[in-house]
Amino acid sequence: MALIVQKYGGSSVADAASVQRVAARIVATKQAGHDVCVVVSAMGDTTDELLDLAQQVTADPPSREMDILLTAGERISMSLLAMAIDGLGVEARSFTGQQAGVITDAAYGQARIIDVSPSRITATLADGQVAIVAGFQGVNTEANDVTTLGRGGSDTTAVALAAALGADVCEIYSDVDGVFTADPRIVPSARRLGQIGYDVMLEMAASGAKVLMPRCVEYARRFGVPVHVRSSFSDLDGTLVTKEDPMEEPIIAGVAHDRSQAKITLVDVPDVPGKAARIFKVVADAGVNVDMIVQNVSASGTGRTDVSFTLPAADGDAATAALAAVRAEIGYARLAYDDTIGKLSLVGAGMKSNPGVSARLFHALSDAGINIEMISTSEIRLSVVTGAGDLDAAVRAVHTAFDLDSDQDEAVVYGGTGR
């Protein structure tokens, strides 16, 4: 008998029929002799609908009240799922994040888990019941306020509970059959990976692969929690994310992409010590995370250069406003902002020991007629920025160039979202 934590995404519990189907899967796991703790997201597009509703009421809703509002979605799905399980003859109890002992800091909307005290969950499992926990939420004990964990929060909730409970595995159910070599919505010939290491999965998640969020993978790696990515719409084996095995890691694990970034270029920056430090201190003070950075060689005889960097497009206004305020101090000529870019990342543990990967990537993009605007590398990742309109074609070209295409027709997105 194993202790299993299962997490079901919004597409898996999108309506009453889906809730009943998920309940049947949970009951089957319980009847197989396992203890089961379930983390559930809000149904379908509930969270987006609540966000839209808040914007209709006020253009600037208080962050504390937004967190109280948004936790309603998971409370609905957790209670309905508990009812459905009970209707199948198995006892189940639902818990909010606070009741489940998920303790966070006070950063409304982007809270981080600092502790999990799952005594009520442990007692429920000991009584032979299924525990259902609302994902994406916790409580700041200093203020006793409910908090939400931000994007991918339910995945992080599930892994954190699995670590605190000492679970044998954390199963993440969505509407795809595992982790693929590319987004199945763009590359129908993508291959499913049977196993992948934490580090490679973390790079893929950070580079735009949405099947798992980076915070979830970081937590799993820190506490050694095996994560099994599966689909709630099929019985296929899925993908196991676990400690790296050098014998199992492929040279190239996959191609990830990200449409959510923008690019800022500061033109004609004085090329003297301290300018780059000042630029990125201003950006950091504005609460903006920077991804790729490129500084050109100084133009001959001018002593001036261009500095470009990418950032989340959602932070574009904050970054440009902060930099505009210090234009005279930094001395740049103008600021160019471009939110029509896309980032492609080639990820694999074997890249650092296999020469020719960069040349092969650039050749594939050249043959497809795709221009590269920026380049960034790490030991297990090579990223390039292209125009947003070229991104899909770039992903397909690179995927084929590295022989990642499958002939099994296995890349299916059952619910249409990839989550």
Side-chain angles (χ1 to χ4, degrees):
M1 183 176 71
L3 171 53
I4 300 173
V5 173
Q6 297 181 340
K7 177 264 177 178
Y8 292 91
S11 61
S12 297
V13 292
D15 51 34
S18 298
V19 170
Q20 291 173 320
R21 176 173 48 79
V22 166
R25 183 183 287 268
I26 294 167
V27 167
T29 305
K30 178 64 177 174
Q31 291 176 340
H34 305 299
D35 289 331
V36 187
C37 173
V38 177
V39 174
V40 65
S41 297
M43 299 173 69
D45 297 324
T46 299
T47 301
D48 289 338
E49 292 167 359
L50 291 172
L51 286 166
D52 291 342
L53 188 60
Q55 288 296 321
Q56 293 174 37
V57 173
T58 173
D60 187 23
S63 57
R64 178 185 182 276
E65 305 310 318
M66 280 299 300
D67 274 11
I68 292 174
L69 174 67
L70 294 181
T71 56
E74 281 72 21
R75 293 182 184 219
I76 292 170
S77 54
M78 76 178 193
S79 55
L80 289 174
L81 184 56
M83 294 174 193
I85 293 171
D86 186 77
L88 295 174
V90 173
E91 290 187 83
R93 297 190 67 186
S94 63
F95 300 89
T96 66
Q98 180 176 5
Q99 292 170 326
V102 179
I103 313 301
T104 76
D105 60 21
Y108 299 115
Q110 290 289 336
R112 300 191 71 85
I113 296 174
I114 57 178
D115 194 16
V116 180
S117 302
S119 58
R120 296 186 68 178
I121 306 303
T122 301
T124 298
L125 297 176
D127 287 341
Q129 300 174 326
V130 174
I132 313 293
V133 178
F136 177 66
Q137 62 185 257
V139 62
N140 171 249
T141 53
E142 291 185 11
N144 201 31
D145 277 346
V146 66
T147 53
T148 63
L149 307 181
R151 190 178 181 193
S154 291
D155 290 358
T156 307
T157 302
V159 172
L161 274 169
L165 293 168
D168 295 276
V169 67
C170 179
E171 298 178 341
I172 304 289
Y173 286 90
S174 67
D175 58 7
V176 290
D177 288 317
V179 179
F180 284 80
T181 50
D183 187 335
R185 291 166 296 184
I186 294 177
V187 186
S189 59
R191 286 191 289 108
R192 179 174 55 84
L193 300 170
Q195 183 171 324
I196 188 171
Y198 292 125
D199 287 344
V200 174
M201 186 67 247
L202 184 57
E203 284 282 7
M204 290 187 68
S207 299
K210 294 180 176 60
V211 67
L212 289 177
M213 293 296 109
R215 286 170 62 185
C216 161
V217 183
E218 288 173 351
Y219 212 107
R221 180 177 64 176
R222 187 184 316 144
F223 292 97
V225 177
V227 177
H228 196 180
V229 183
R230 305 182 65 186
S231 171
S232 63
F233 296 82
S234 78
D235 293 317
L236 295 180
D237 288 339
T239 302
L240 184 64
V241 183
T242 186
K243 185 177 180 180
E244 288 75 9
D245 183 346
M247 299 300 294
E248 295 289 337
E249 289 290 331
I251 295 174
I252 302 298
V255 184
H257 72 280
D258 188 353
R259 303 182 191 280
S260 67
Q261 295 204 343
K263 180 177 70 171
I264 287 178
T265 299
L266 298 182
V267 180
D268 280 351
V269 178
D271 191 8
V272 296
K275 289 297 181 180
R278 182 58 182 146
I279 289 169
F280 292 106
K281 177 66 163 56
V282 169
V283 173
D285 288 346
V288 177
N289 289 319
V290 171
D291 184 13
M292 302 168 67
I293 301 172
V294 171
Q295 178 173 323
N296 297 334
V297 175
S298 296
S300 178
T302 68
R304 304 180 78 86
T305 186
D306 296 343
V307 177
S308 299
F309 61 91
T310 61
L311 70 164
D315 294 332
D317 289 345
T320 54
L323 289 168
V326 294
R327 178 178 177 180
E329 175 191 344
I330 293 175
Y332 65 85
R334 64 183 178 89
L335 183 153
Y337 180 75
D338 184 3
D339 60 1
T340 60
I341 65 168
K343 183 177 77 171
L344 177 151
S345 297
L346 190 66
V347 182
M351 290 174 57
K352 58 188 176 184
S353 58
N354 284 269
V357 172
S358 299
R360 194 172 179 182
L361 170 68
F362 300 146
H363 192 272
L365 294 175
S366 174
D367 285 349
I370 296 168
N371 186 50
I372 298 172
E373 298 182 18
M374 298 176 74
I375 302 169
S376 173
T377 64
S378 74
E379 286 192 338
I380 60 175
R381 175 188 50 79
L382 174 58
S383 296
V384 298
V385 168
T386 71
D390 292 331
L391 187 57
D392 287 4
V395 170
R396 287 189 285 266
V398 172
H399 194 270
T400 297
F402 283 88
D403 301 320
L404 297 174
D405 293 328
S406 170
D407 57 4
Q408 299 300 313
D409 192 28
E410 60 181 356
V412 178
V413 180
Y414 299 93
T417 65
R419 289 289 298 145

